[in-house]
């Protein structure tokens, strides 16, 4: 099968994705001892580079793994990979850093750590006009993840099982609930709109600090009141609008939760404004010279 975006980066080398090989002794494989990032690229331009690589640096710090690269080195690696994959399309970059490998299987860190660094580019998932017109459906599930969901760890089994449960129910996302409060989606941040106010839960160890969430909050500032506070499950069900956000989806409307309509059951006016603001942001990005720092 032809591979549309075949080049990846592995430990200092650019090579065809189908030729990339990692040892089964890699601690990412054996223990999930690794962290990752997913960064959107619109028309060949990276979106929120600094925010994603600040978060990667934080995840690495939290798992006590030295960052193998400076931001500028990371930017160079990604620039080259984007160019090798044909430049100008919409895609997302996946970056993973694991604690490398050693012979044997020891839970504690190896004496000498040589991290495994893997980067690939994949086509951006496309959301159809119909999906945008009708909105997505979600289910709610009780949280059974670990206590450090603020670390963007590749140990995603709970998230995988939740997403599959959503898929089995014909839904696009599982919204995660703990102690009666809605935290986030299995791979997205969550917002509600009630009475014209945009509400999203505060960052904590229970939530991944979303880059798209922060971008949406910036866009909403001066447009609508914002409250950063816990959202009770009953509030979610009674909301006028529910949104989810992620690097690969920007902000999307959720119009059904556990089979019941949210608000009018159609994407709401606040989301339409937000979607428009994101489009404008992308357009600005496309118009930004490629060598602008922090693009
Ligand atoms: N996931 N919460 C969780 C649990 C996530 O996995 C994600 C993103 C987000 C949103 O973060 P951001 O806006 O920075 O993408 C929130 C990525 C896209 C993934 O795992 O593929």
């Amino acid at each position: 099968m032809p591979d549309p975006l075949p080049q990846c980066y592995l430990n200092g080398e650019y090579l065809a994705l189908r030729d990339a090989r990692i040892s089964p002794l890699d601690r990412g494989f054996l223990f999930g001892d690794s962290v990752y990032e997913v960064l959107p690229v619109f028309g060949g331009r990276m979106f929120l580079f600094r925010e994603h690589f600040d978060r990667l640096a934080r995840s690495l710090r939290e798992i006590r793994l030295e960052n193998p690269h400076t931001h500028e080195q990371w930017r160079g690696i990604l620039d080259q990979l984007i160019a090798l994959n044909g430049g100008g399309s919409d895609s997302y970059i996946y970056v993973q850093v694991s604690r490398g490998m050693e012979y044997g299987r020891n839970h504690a860190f190896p004496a000498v750590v040589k991290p495994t660094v893997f980067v690939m580019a994949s086509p951006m998932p496309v959301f159809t006009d119909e999906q945008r017109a009708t909105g997505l459906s979600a289910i709610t599930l009780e949280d059974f993840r670990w206590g450090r969901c603020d670390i963007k760890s590749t140990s995603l089994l709970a998230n995988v099982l939740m997403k599959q449960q959503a898929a089995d129910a014909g839904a696009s996302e599982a919204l995660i609930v703990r102690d009666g409060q809605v935290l986030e989606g299995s791979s997205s941040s969550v917002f509600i709109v009630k009475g014209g106010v945009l509400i999203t839960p505060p960052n904590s160890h229970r939530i991944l600090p979303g880059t798209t969430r922060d971008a949406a909050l910036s866009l909403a500032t001066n447009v609508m009141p914002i409250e950063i506070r816990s959202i009770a499950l009953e509030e979610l069900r009674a909301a006028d609008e529910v949104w989810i956000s992620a690097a690969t989806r920007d902000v999307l409307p959720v119009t059904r939760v556990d089979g019941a309509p949210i608000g009018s059951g159609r994407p709401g006016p606040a989301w339409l404004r937000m979607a428009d603001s994101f489009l404008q942001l992308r357009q600005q990005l496309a118009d930004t010279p490629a060598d602008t720092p922090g693009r």
Side-chain angles (χ1 to χ4, degrees):
M1 193 178 76
D3 196 340
L5 288 173
Q7 296 294 311
C8 69
Y9 171 94
L10 181 62
N11 297 331
E13 262 188 82
Y14 296 89
L15 70 168
L17 184 54
R18 69 178 75 82
D19 296 331
R21 299 286 179 271
I22 292 174
S23 167
L25 291 172
D26 195 278
R27 294 176 63 91
F29 180 66
L30 291 181
F31 297 111
D33 186 358
S34 73
V35 294
Y36 76 108
E37 272 302 323
V38 175
L39 174 141
V41 176
F42 298 116
R45 301 286 164 77
M46 292 184 242
F47 185 54
L48 301 177
F49 170 86
R50 189 159 300 152
E51 288 77 357
H52 282 280
F53 280 85
D54 283 352
R55 187 172 64 186
L56 181 68
R58 180 181 182 280
S59 295
L60 287 166
R61 219 168 30 244
E62 293 297 320
I63 70 161
R64 296 162 59 192
L65 179 56
E66 200 180 322
N67 195 336
H69 299 299
T70 63
H71 276 33
E72 281 324 293
Q73 288 168 338
W74 280 119
R75 187 190 293 281
I77 291 168
L78 268 60
D79 271 339
Q80 189 159 343
L81 191 67
I82 291 167
L84 282 170
N85 284 302
S89 58
D90 288 354
S91 58
Y92 70 88
I93 303 277
Y94 175 84
V95 179
Q96 181 172 344
V97 183
S98 86
R99 207 181 309 273
M101 58 151 285
E102 65 175 337
Y103 293 107
R105 181 178 175 276
N106 304 300
H107 286 65
F109 303 165
V112 178
V113 173
K114 193 167 174 286
T116 300
V117 178
F118 172 64
V119 188
M120 68 173 170
S122 305
M124 186 66 101
V126 175
F127 287 88
T128 61
D129 288 346
E130 191 188 328
Q131 279 171 314
R132 285 176 189 274
T134 57
L136 306 177
S137 60
I139 59 168
T140 57
L141 289 178
E142 197 55 36
D143 200 358
F144 58 92
R145 302 169 301 165
W146 73 323
R148 290 303 307 274
C149 299
D150 57 313
I151 299 172
K152 202 161 170 59
S153 156
T154 60
S155 303
L156 288 170
L157 185 55
N159 304 60
V160 165
L161 292 174
M162 287 174 176
K163 183 75 95 185
Q164 187 55 42
Q165 209 171 320
D168 292 345
S172 302
E173 184 56 299
L175 300 175
I176 302 171
V177 180
R178 179 175 283 266
D179 301 329
Q181 309 295 318
V182 184
L183 298 174
E184 60 180 344
S186 70
S187 64
S188 58
S189 309
V190 70
F191 298 84
I192 65 167
V193 177
K194 185 71 183 176
V197 181
L198 182 62
I199 308 166
T200 193
N203 287 331
S204 72
H205 284 180
R206 295 288 178 203
I207 289 181
L208 184 79
T211 57
T212 322
R213 164 193 184 273
D214 289 350
L217 289 175
S218 299
L219 290 171
T221 306
N222 303 326
V223 174
M224 62 196 298
I226 295 170
E227 289 179 13
I228 310 285
R229 62 162 177 82
S230 303
I231 299 171
L233 180 55
E234 303 77 58
E235 276 187 285
L236 177 93
R237 297 199 195 287
D240 300 327
E241 300 185 28
V242 174
W243 310 343
I244 53 170
S245 69
T248 45
R249 288 183 280 191
D250 58 52
V251 179
L252 290 174
V254 173
T255 49
R256 294 188 82 75
V257 172
D258 296 328
I262 296 296
S264 66
R266 311 288 297 176
W271 175 75
L272 286 167
R273 271 201 312 274
M274 177 56 71
D276 203 47
S277 302
F278 259 95
L279 263 182
Q280 284 176 27
L281 202 64
R282 284 190 199 187
Q283 193 52 51
Q284 278 167 21
L285 190 72
D287 295 341
T288 307
D291 58 357
T292 302
R295 74 182 194 276

